[in-house]
Amino acid sequence: MNDFHSTAFFVKHPFRIEDLKVPHRYEMRKRFAVVKTVELSKIDYDNFIADLYVDRTFIEENKGLCRIDEDGVWLCLLVKRRGQSDGVLVMPDGRDYPKYAAYYPGKEDEQ
């Protein structure tokens, strides 16, 4: 990953995807690595981004993969709509919903 895609601004307890697209200081960004990508149908993804504060089975099933490693890298899930390159980085921190989340704009080579 290049520098632009290896850091993200994580928001604590976001409600909607719009909460993730807020201005922020660059130094507030965290280094991340995607440990698993979850692809959802259009209707499921639209439901997910409209209400991020709801328990999700796919997060419950994969939350054990997520943590902050010894180097401070956030190991997180990437949740995206099937066929799309952008999505939401999810750090559940032991929860079944995104306790922390960040908008992921996608990679140039995925489009």
Side-chain angles (χ1 to χ4, degrees), residues 2-10 22-32:
N2 61 36
D3 286 344
F4 179 76
H5 290 105
S6 64
T7 62
F9 178 67
F10 285 84
V22 297
H24 59 276
R25 296 192 326 251
Y26 184 81
E27 61 270 14
M28 299 298 294
R29 296 170 71 88
K30 306 290 185 198
R31 291 185 305 146
F32 73 88

Side-chain angles (χ1 to χ4, degrees), residues 38 40 48 56-63 77 79 90:
V38 177
L40 303 175
F48 172 67
R56 306 287 176 172
T57 303
F58 62 86
I59 294 175
E60 178 184 9
E61 293 169 347
N62 295 291
K63 67 185 175 186
L77 303 174
V79 180
V90 173

Side-chain angles (χ1 to χ4, degrees), residues 3-109:
D3 286 344
F4 179 76
H5 290 105
S6 64
T7 62
F9 178 67
F10 285 84
V11 176
K12 185 174 183 179
H13 297 296
F15 287 101
R16 299 182 325 256
I17 195 167
E18 291 82 11
D19 297 338
L20 308 179
K21 298 178 179 181
V22 297
H24 59 276
R25 296 192 326 251
Y26 184 81
E27 61 270 14
M28 299 298 294
R29 296 170 71 88
K30 306 290 185 198
R31 291 185 305 146
F32 73 88
V34 174
V35 294
K36 184 170 184 177
T37 300
V38 177
E39 293 189 342
L40 303 175
S41 67
K42 178 184 180 340
I43 192 165
D44 288 339
Y45 183 75
D46 289 347
N47 179 277
F48 172 67
I49 64 173
D51 193 356
L52 295 169
Y53 211 65
V54 171
D55 289 351
R56 306 287 176 172
T57 303
F58 62 86
I59 294 175
E60 178 184 9
E61 293 169 347
N62 295 291
K63 67 185 175 186
L65 302 172
C66 303
R67 62 184 176 83
I68 300 173
D69 75 8
E70 58 279 351
D71 294 322
V73 176
W74 290 43
L75 306 178
C76 54
L77 303 174
L78 171 59
V79 180
K80 62 184 195 173
R81 181 178 152 194
R82 197 171 295 117
Q84 299 293 315
S85 62
D86 68 331
V88 177
L89 297 167
V90 173
M91 173 59 80
D93 196 26
R95 311 304 196 288
D96 296 337
Y97 62 90
K99 181 175 178 183
Y100 296 92
Y103 176 69
Y104 179 75
K107 294 182 191 177
E108 293 82 15
D109 58 1

